[in-house]
Amino acid sequence: MSLVQGAAKLQAGSLVAPQITVLDTGGQYTHLIARRVRELGVYADVQASDTPSGKLRSRKGIIISGGPASVRESGSPDIDPEVLCAGIPVLGICYGHQLMARRLGGCVQKGTRGEYGVARLTITCEDDALWNGVAPSQIWMSHFDTVESVPPGFQITASSETSGIAAMSDPARKLFGLQFHPEVAHTEAGMRILDNFVFGICGAVQDWDLSQRVPFVEEQIRRIAGERNIFFFVSGGVDSTVAYTLCLRALGPQRVYGIYVDTGLMRKGETEFVHGAFEQLGATNFMIDHAEAEFLSALHGAFDPEEKRCIIGEQFVKVQERVLATEHFLDGHWILGQGTIYPDTIESGGTTHADLIKTHHNRVAGIQALIDSGRIIEPITSFYKDEVREIGRELGVPAPLLARHPFPGPGLAIRCLCSAASERVGKDPDGFLLPVRSVGVQGDARSYRAVLLLPSRPTPDQIHVTAPALTNRRSDINRVVALCGAKVDPGLLQVFEASITKQRLDVLREADAIVREFCGATGFESQVWQFPVVLLPVGAGSGRESLVLRPIQSVDGMTADVVLMPEAWLDELTSKLLALSSIAAVFYDLTHKPPGTIEWE
Ligand code: XMP
């Protein structure tokens, strides 16, 4: 059971029936929609898209989510057609909007070009109930298909630069469709639009109180753990620390054990930091396991991102099994705690129809087996990053720990790109084509494509105009980088065969430490949500590596905007990095998420 779903029971003393149901067609933002509705104080749940209409009779409203499929393909997620004629208000978002249009006799076509990122909402029907208090403003799109003509009875209520039909409605039947995503932070009036739907159109009433979540989660931890103790592998990141602290509070320090695994894939100084932080939290059962050699030998010769992620995940399980065995924890009195948060499950294909973007290290086969046998507890799996920080604050977790940028479980391994072959960097009409591939997410689906290098310094125009236009137009790339500085002409660069080695990790660790120190000293650190530094096996002569700077701003990691570092700072930082003998070039990632993911792998 999801902890948040259960929270509805706690606060009212009896089961609160969801007033709004989100039908899940596999979108990255399905649960975000439910969460936004809960932020309005209304309990919402998520159900499979094809849930029979009979099961939804008591709902005040239904929202059909976005999703990675095309409604034009056979076998794509569908709904019970009765849902659209049951008299209950329905809001279709993105794929849901297209599905509604197609089901009711409108026409959906493959667009001439995709539309990913921000756009401008132009309201064409002022008195539509969804637009109450909504002005023309920024909206956020992520789609390829478009509704070309609305079904009989519908009117077009808004447009955008690329979509003639950004919104449609049939007020008589209380059916509404939005091509854009009101649930993401980038849609300025998104909450107002959802408010109009939930209260104005559906007539829902407030029944949901977020302040109850901490006592509820603690109660659930005690219930799930029963007589068993909890064993945590902590990383020092916000998520595992907050999950651990919740367990510590629920069960007391004697029943919660923490182990920090030094995988050799951590940042400089990390082990010492974590040790100090956990002492401060009051952890009495805490130890460090040195597993660098195991991880590095398992990763030897792996080039593919998914293969690397799986190796690391499986290696975690092996280390866990070894530790559990040596500590005599396998006697059934212990269960494993994990700090998995909601985006970790969704981007790993956690809902029925979601496309796999990246396998999360908390969801590999060995862990799945423990989940299936009921030996895992994940106290914060229903929450998003910003909620986890709020919970941490409520629990009194020290501010420097909560302020830390997110850092991925697989560590520097997914920031240390590998290549199975050596290859020259190719001249391209738009710049240079770097033959290294990185992971992206476009229209809710995973992509794995090459990188385009613009041989000039990063500018706001490149970030906001050039890079989006290039990634929208070209199907061979999902990322664009600018050149901050290089020791050779970009045309002379080449990709070298490389896998993960301690030597390469040390280079990345050093570069990452330089960037962190610089950002801490200048204050840039607090201006960004996360700042991955990525190592590429691209260089010339003896300088066989390049670095990519990827500072981004985000609310919850589901979408991200590139942040441009002030020019003077970037110059200073670039020269510090180029002073490292193995570094040949420094690049700046110009790609928002989507179409790039935050991490490169
Ligand atoms: P992406 O790269 O998918 O990242 O845009 C979204 C957020 O998730 C973090 N991330 C991970 N965190 N294990 C984690 O604990 C992982 O395997 C993992 N992959 C990505 C990433 O750093 C960003 O904050």
Side-chain angles (χ1 to χ4, degrees):
M1 178 180 66
S2 133
L3 294 175
V4 168
Q5 272 166 11
K9 293 179 190 165
L10 182 85
Q11 52 135 24
S14 62
L15 185 75
V16 174
Q19 298 182 66
I20 305 287
T21 284
V22 182
L23 294 179
D24 174 21
T25 66
Q28 300 298 305
Y29 308 111
T30 301
H31 284 256
L32 188 54
I33 301 169
R35 182 180 142 206
R36 295 291 187 230
V37 175
R38 290 178 197 176
E39 280 172 19
L40 293 170
V42 173
Y43 184 56
D45 71 344
V46 175
Q47 299 285 341
S49 65
D50 52 3
T51 302
S53 148
K55 284 194 170 171
L56 301 170
R57 256 186 226 118
S58 64
R59 304 302 191 272
K60 293 231 165 78
I62 289 166
I63 301 178
I64 311 170
S65 79
S70 164
V71 296
R72 297 172 298 104
E73 288 161 9
S74 66
S76 55
D78 209 345
I79 50 165
D80 176 355
E82 289 295 313
V83 164
L84 297 175
C85 48
I88 301 171
V90 181
L91 172 65
I93 295 177
C94 197
Y95 180 92
H97 159 79
Q98 295 161 8
L99 189 61
M100 183 187 276
R102 192 173 164 99
R103 274 249 160 236
L104 296 173
C107 173
V108 178
Q109 293 291 351
K110 188 171 184 321
T112 45
R113 61 196 178 103
E115 193 179 18
Y116 305 107
V118 295
R120 189 105 196 130
L121 176 75
T122 304
I123 292 173
T124 54
C125 176
E126 295 278 349
D127 55 3
D128 191 76
L130 275 188
W131 305 147
N132 183 17
V134 175
S137 48
Q138 178 180 293
I139 51 175
W140 193 86
M141 297 273 197
S142 180
H143 67 110
F144 210 94
D145 286 354
T146 53
V147 175
E148 291 290 316
S149 66
V150 300
F154 274 75
Q155 58 191 0
I156 300 170
T157 58
S159 62
S160 75
E161 296 91 328
T162 319
S163 297
I165 304 175
M168 62 177 189
S169 74
D170 179 345
R173 286 189 284 173
K174 296 191 178 154
L175 302 177
F176 298 82
L178 299 174
Q179 182 55 71
F180 60 93
H181 290 262
E183 70 279 17
V184 307
H186 294 300
T187 295
E188 283 167 357
M191 281 307 269
R192 179 74 221 197
I193 294 169
L194 289 175
D195 186 301
N196 287 338
F197 179 70
V198 169
F199 297 113
I201 294 166
C202 302
V205 289
Q206 289 191 322
D207 67 349
W208 177 246
D209 180 3
L210 284 178
S211 69
Q212 292 300 316
R213 64 192 165 188
V214 167
F216 175 76
V217 171
E218 288 179 9
E219 182 50 39
Q220 290 299 300
I221 291 168
R222 283 190 283 272
R223 190 184 63 73
I224 293 169
E227 295 293 303
R228 301 175 297 181
N229 297 329
I230 302 183
F231 184 86
F232 255 94
F233 286 90
V234 295
S235 68
V238 175
D239 305 339
S240 65
T241 307
V242 169
Y244 176 87
T245 310
L246 279 164
C247 291
L248 207 61
R249 285 211 353 178
L251 302 181
Q254 288 313 317
R255 293 185 57 194
V256 187
Y257 207 104
I259 284 203
Y260 169 85
V261 180
D262 185 348
T263 59
L265 307 170
M266 315 307 287
R267 303 171 111 174
K268 196 172 169 182
E270 187 63 11
T271 306
E272 298 74 19
F273 175 86
V274 174
H275 199 179
F278 276 77
E279 268 178 2
Q280 216 185 327
L281 279 172
T284 46
N285 290 324
F286 185 79
M287 71 177 239
I288 295 170
D289 183 77
H290 296 278
E292 179 181 10
E294 288 164 64
F295 275 85
L296 291 193
S297 80
L299 280 166
H300 182 75
F303 305 105
D304 177 74
E306 274 302 292
E307 189 190 347
K308 283 162 69 179
R309 282 176 168 270
C310 285
I311 290 172
I312 294 165
E314 297 299 347
Q315 201 54 43
F316 262 114
V317 174
K318 282 189 191 149
V319 172
Q320 285 169 359
E321 280 167 355
R322 171 173 58 67
V323 171
L324 288 168
T326 52
E327 299 297 324
H328 310 293
F329 286 142
L330 277 180
D331 56 6
H333 289 300
W334 290 86
I335 55 173
L336 183 68
Q338 292 206 121
T340 313
I341 64 167
Y342 186 64
D344 301 337
T345 63
I346 182 79
E347 298 208 347
S348 315
T351 64
T352 326
H353 303 288
D355 201 31
L356 175 76
I357 310 292
K358 295 171 183 181
T359 298
H360 191 271
H361 71 282
N362 286 355
R363 282 289 178 273
V364 294
I367 296 282
Q368 198 58 49
L370 284 175
I371 294 175
D372 296 342
S373 62
R375 296 203 58 197
I376 289 213
I377 185 163
E378 296 185 314
I380 52 171
T381 191
S382 301
F383 301 115
Y384 290 81
K385 196 90 191 178
D386 49 334
E387 292 181 291
V388 173
R389 285 212 172 92
E390 272 173 38
I391 294 172
R393 265 191 292 277
E394 258 178 71
L395 296 175
V397 173
L401 226 154
L402 289 180
R404 298 192 99 195
H405 289 168
F407 186 71
L412 295 178
I414 58 166
R415 295 181 179 175
C416 185
L417 266 65
C418 304
S419 172
S422 297
E423 212 176 322
R424 295 212 72 78
V425 165
K427 184 83 189 87
D428 180 281
D430 294 310
F432 293 91
L433 200 60
L434 295 182
V436 282
R437 283 188 290 172
S438 78
V439 177
V441 53
Q442 283 160 295
D444 284 311
R446 178 187 199 261
S447 65
Y448 186 46
R449 295 183 185 162
V451 180
L452 186 79
L453 164 65
L454 304 180
S456 55
R457 314 285 310 273
T459 64
D461 201 52
Q462 282 179 348
I463 292 168
H464 301 299
V465 184
T466 318
L470 284 166
T471 47
N472 277 346
R473 174 166 63 78
R474 294 180 56 149
S475 57
D476 58 335
I477 57 162
N478 57 9
R479 232 176 253 277
V480 183
V481 296
L483 185 66
C484 304
K487 289 175 184 160
V488 293
D489 185 89
L492 298 175
L493 292 170
Q494 75 169 91
V495 170
F496 291 100
E497 182 187 334
S499 66
I500 291 197
T501 58
K502 177 164 179 347
Q503 194 187 7
R504 293 190 74 216
L505 286 167
D506 282 342
V507 172
L508 178 53
R509 238 186 301 270
E510 198 49 45
D512 178 67
I514 291 171
V515 173
R516 277 208 291 168
E517 195 190 336
F518 185 83
C519 292
T522 52
F524 188 67
E525 188 180 4
S526 59
Q527 294 173 30
V528 294
W529 191 80
Q530 199 175 10
F531 193 162
V533 177
V534 184
L535 190 75
L536 306 184
V538 171
S542 59
R544 293 193 157 207
E545 309 282 355
S546 292
L547 294 165
V548 184
L549 306 177
R550 176 135 181 77
I552 53 101
Q553 195 49 268
S554 177
V555 174
D556 47 27
M558 302 293 281
T559 59
D561 283 344
V562 176
V563 180
L564 185 55
M565 184 180 263
E567 201 177 332
W569 288 355
L570 186 56
D571 283 348
E572 198 182 329
L573 182 58
T574 302
S575 37
K576 280 179 193 283
L577 295 170
L578 285 175
L580 298 172
S581 60
S582 42
I583 300 300
V586 178
F587 306 123
Y588 205 94
D589 195 339
L590 305 169
T591 328
H592 298 311
K593 174 183 179 177
T597 48
I598 296 175
E599 306 290 348
W600 274 46
E601 291 195 330

